[in-house]
Amino acid sequence: MKIFRIGCLFIPITIFYLSCTVPKAVQSTSIKPAPATFANQTDSTNSALIQWHQFFNDTCLVALIDTALKNNVDIGIALQNIEIAKSNVLIRKSALLPNINIGGGAGVEKVGRYTSQGAGDASTEITPGKEVPDNLTDFNFSLQTSWELDVWGKLHTAKKAALAQYLATVEGKNFVVTNLVAEVANTYYELLGLDNQLAIIKEAIQLQKNELEVLKVQKEAAVVTELAVKQFEAQVYNAESQAFEVQQNITVAENKLNFLLGRYPQSITRATANFMNQIPTLVNEGVPAQLLNNRPDIRQAALELKATQFELQVAKLEFYPSVNITAALGLQAFKPRYLTKLPASVLYNFGTDVAAPIINRNALKAAFSTANAVQIQAMYEYQKQILNGFVEVKNELSNINNLQQQFEFKTKEVNTLTQSITIASELFKYAKANYLEVLTVQRDAMAAKMELIAVKKEQLKAVTNLYKALGGGWQ
């Protein structure tokens, strides 16, 4: 009885001591608040809430994105990450429940006669009139259970950590979808731009060949020299070389698009003819605070931060004593027919264990320190994603505005140079301009048209990138 009283006094003292020696968590840096607006606007309308099949109005592009979402391998990988995280939640949840096993066994035992057990068996009758045999068989069938009581909430906290990580993987999949939608759209626009550049080159080649035939006639008439003919021929060869370069780029873009769609190389259906007439979609950026709800990568970082906070709490609770209950109930006899002799064959046991770490506390401290560092790292990662989202939106807003100005001036340049080609050709016919002027204006006009197509392509891609930066595309 005295020992029992000492034990009752020792246990709470030990718990109090251990709880007082738990290491303190290092406080992480607080998150910097985002600015109220991206610019001077007050409109909170956000285009990220528009679903992707409504945002893009090109039916060919919509069909390609739909195929990519069904077949893309990265999405398949992301879905399996979700399944892994879901299984981890079930594992953590099952730890809250008792572990119950059912089992049975059979065996034989022979102990030495000159031992305490052997001497006792020799003087004992296993049944009336029959001594305990030297080879004693044993048959048993029982239910066993063990259960760690969640006294401090450690197991519940671990389950919360697993659930937060599961939700983070769902957001990770959404981020993959956002990137995929944007990448398919941008590659599609790249392909359309290359198609139109190839058409411009072929048109220029035909024009240059016509001019070359005129020069050859004029050379026969001694109006121009062989030098003029050779320079025009060289320009034709240069344009034909550019055509093959662009054709190769088209092949690469098609293959990249097919890869995103999860299929082997094949022809891509696309609306090339309407490329230059496409008007970039008007995107409303809303306010920076909406990024926290719209962008999957920010939501994922927030959930991962939450998970690390729970894991840090679990690491702290590892320092507290654990309470385990064990029990068993079953039947046991030296012969199978005696298993039904109740209650003589009944076996049972029940016990409670309280264990607190003492020797291995350094390992627990190291695990706690690691969890603390991971939690601080997750805080910085969350802050990084918020900053990155704000910067991406600001960059694309500026890009869209500057590209619009660039497109307007580049259009004027193309119109002027196109008129100059006609003027130069007419002047050349009447010997009012030399062949070098014609050559130069044709070369400049083709280069300007190529650049205009590139600007149009970048305009469409900038709109897509802004839509992605705002968190659109995964809905």
Side-chain angles (χ1 to χ4, degrees):
M1 192 66 181
K2 182 177 180 181
I3 295 175
F4 177 76
R5 289 197 299 268
I6 293 173
C8 292
L9 181 64
F10 176 75
I11 291 175
I13 292 175
T14 301
I15 294 174
F16 176 76
Y17 169 75
L18 293 173
S19 63
C20 290
T21 57
V22 172
K24 302 293 183 181
V26 178
Q27 296 297 320
S28 56
T29 307
S30 59
I31 298 175
K32 300 176 183 178
T37 61
F38 289 109
N40 297 321
Q41 96 290 350
T42 57
D43 186 5
S44 61
T45 304
N46 194 302
S47 295
L49 301 178
I50 302 174
Q51 296 185 347
W52 64 265
H53 53 81
Q54 296 174 333
F55 183 82
F56 298 104
N57 51 26
D58 188 323
T59 56
C60 294
L61 175 57
V62 170
L64 291 172
I65 294 175
D66 185 60
T67 301
L69 293 177
K70 294 176 182 177
N71 302 331
N72 183 263
V73 292
D74 287 330
I75 290 183
I77 293 172
L79 290 174
Q80 294 311 305
N81 287 335
I82 292 176
E83 292 300 317
I84 294 171
K86 186 188 296 184
S87 298
N88 194 35
V89 173
L90 294 177
I91 293 172
R92 295 288 182 94
K93 186 177 180 180
S94 65
L96 292 165
L97 303 174
N99 184 21
I100 300 176
N101 299 311
I102 185 171
V108 62
E109 181 182 29
K110 161 80 171 61
V111 299
R113 178 58 63 92
Y114 302 108
T115 62
S116 60
Q117 182 180 344
D121 289 346
S123 60
T124 303
E125 292 182 343
I126 193 166
T127 58
K130 185 175 182 180
E131 297 181 349
V132 176
D134 288 339
N135 296 317
L136 183 64
T137 56
D138 178 49
F139 299 92
N140 66 81
F141 178 81
S142 64
L143 289 172
Q144 303 96 27
T145 181
S146 62
W147 187 18
E148 181 180 352
L149 299 181
D150 196 20
V151 179
W152 318 108
K154 179 181 69 174
L155 300 180
H156 278 87
T157 304
K159 186 189 75 171
K160 292 178 182 178
L163 181 59
Q165 193 60 52
Y166 162 72
L167 296 175
T169 60
V170 174
E171 295 300 335
K173 188 271 292 183
N174 292 337
F175 187 54
V176 171
V177 171
T178 296
N179 285 330
L180 178 63
V181 169
E183 193 168 3
V184 169
N186 286 340
T187 307
Y188 179 76
Y189 293 139
E190 183 77 28
L191 192 54
L192 295 186
L194 290 169
D195 287 341
N196 280 264
Q197 286 182 333
L198 183 60
I200 292 296
I201 293 174
K202 289 181 177 179
E203 180 183 341
I205 290 173
Q206 187 57 50
L207 178 62
Q208 291 166 6
K209 286 182 176 179
N210 293 338
E211 293 288 349
L212 181 58
E213 292 302 319
V214 173
L215 277 176
K216 287 180 179 179
V217 172
Q218 290 181 336
K219 175 182 173 294
E220 294 296 329
V223 176
V224 297
T225 64
E226 180 70 16
L227 178 61
V229 174
K230 292 302 181 184
Q231 287 189 310
F232 262 86
E233 283 182 349
Q235 182 160 302
V236 172
Y237 295 147
N238 178 265
E240 289 178 336
S241 174
Q242 289 185 52
F244 284 105
E245 181 182 356
V246 172
Q247 186 62 60
Q248 174 60 24
N249 292 336
I250 289 174
T251 300
V252 171
E254 283 185 323
N255 290 340
K256 178 182 177 182
L257 200 47
N258 279 309
F259 174 79
L260 294 173
L261 270 57
R263 66 190 191 187
Y264 289 103
Q266 56 186 274
S267 178
I268 300 292
T269 302
R270 51 193 185 268
T272 301
N274 298 324
F275 177 71
M276 293 303 294
N277 295 326
Q278 289 195 37
I279 300 175
T281 305
L282 179 63
V283 180
N284 296 314
E285 66 271 22
V287 295
Q290 294 171 326
L291 288 178
L292 304 181
N293 294 324
N294 294 339
R295 282 185 62 126
D297 56 335
I298 294 179
R299 291 158 60 99
Q300 181 183 13
L303 287 166
E304 288 177 344
L305 172 60
K306 190 175 182 180
T308 59
Q309 291 171 339
F310 285 132
E311 293 290 358
L312 178 61
Q313 190 174 350
V314 170
K316 179 179 180 180
L317 294 174
E318 290 288 353
F319 288 89
Y320 290 81
S322 61
V323 180
N324 291 276
I325 295 176
T326 58
L329 176 65
L331 303 172
Q332 185 176 27
F334 71 94
K335 286 187 177 181
R337 67 174 181 269
Y338 289 129
L339 289 174
T340 58
K341 299 287 185 179
L342 303 177
S345 62
V346 173
L347 72 87
Y348 63 85
N349 63 63
F350 179 84
T352 302
D353 297 323
V354 179
I358 296 178
I359 302 300
N360 63 337
R361 287 176 63 82
N362 285 336
L364 294 179
K365 287 180 180 179
F368 180 84
S369 178
T370 299
N372 197 174
V374 170
Q375 187 261 337
I376 295 175
Q377 188 180 56
M379 175 70 76
Y380 283 121
E381 183 65 28
Y382 181 49
Q383 179 71 73
K384 174 185 173 183
Q385 295 300 334
I386 296 175
L387 289 171
N388 181 63
F390 184 83
V391 169
E392 285 184 355
V393 172
K394 287 289 290 182
N395 285 343
E396 295 306 330
L397 286 172
S398 175
N399 194 25
I400 289 174
N401 180 63
N402 289 328
L403 284 170
Q404 178 60 34
Q405 302 297 322
Q406 188 178 352
F407 184 80
E408 291 177 2
F409 285 105
K410 187 60 69 173
T411 300
K412 293 178 181 179
E413 179 186 1
V414 168
N415 292 336
T416 301
L417 287 171
T418 302
Q419 295 171 4
S420 298
I421 291 176
T422 304
I423 295 172
S425 297
E426 290 296 321
L427 291 175
F428 182 70
K429 289 180 182 178
Y430 298 102
K432 297 293 182 71
N434 59 49
Y435 70 92
L436 287 176
E437 292 174 311
V438 177
L439 198 65
T440 300
V441 74
Q442 287 183 356
R443 183 170 56 244
D444 291 346
M446 188 180 77
K449 289 178 181 179
M450 298 280 282
E451 291 170 0
L452 180 62
I453 292 172
V455 173
K456 169 62 74 172
K457 175 186 66 179
E458 292 303 319
Q459 274 189 305
L460 296 172
K461 291 171 67 173
V463 169
T464 300
N465 290 336
L466 178 57
Y467 179 60
K468 169 191 167 186
L470 291 171
W474 63 269
Q475 298 90 340

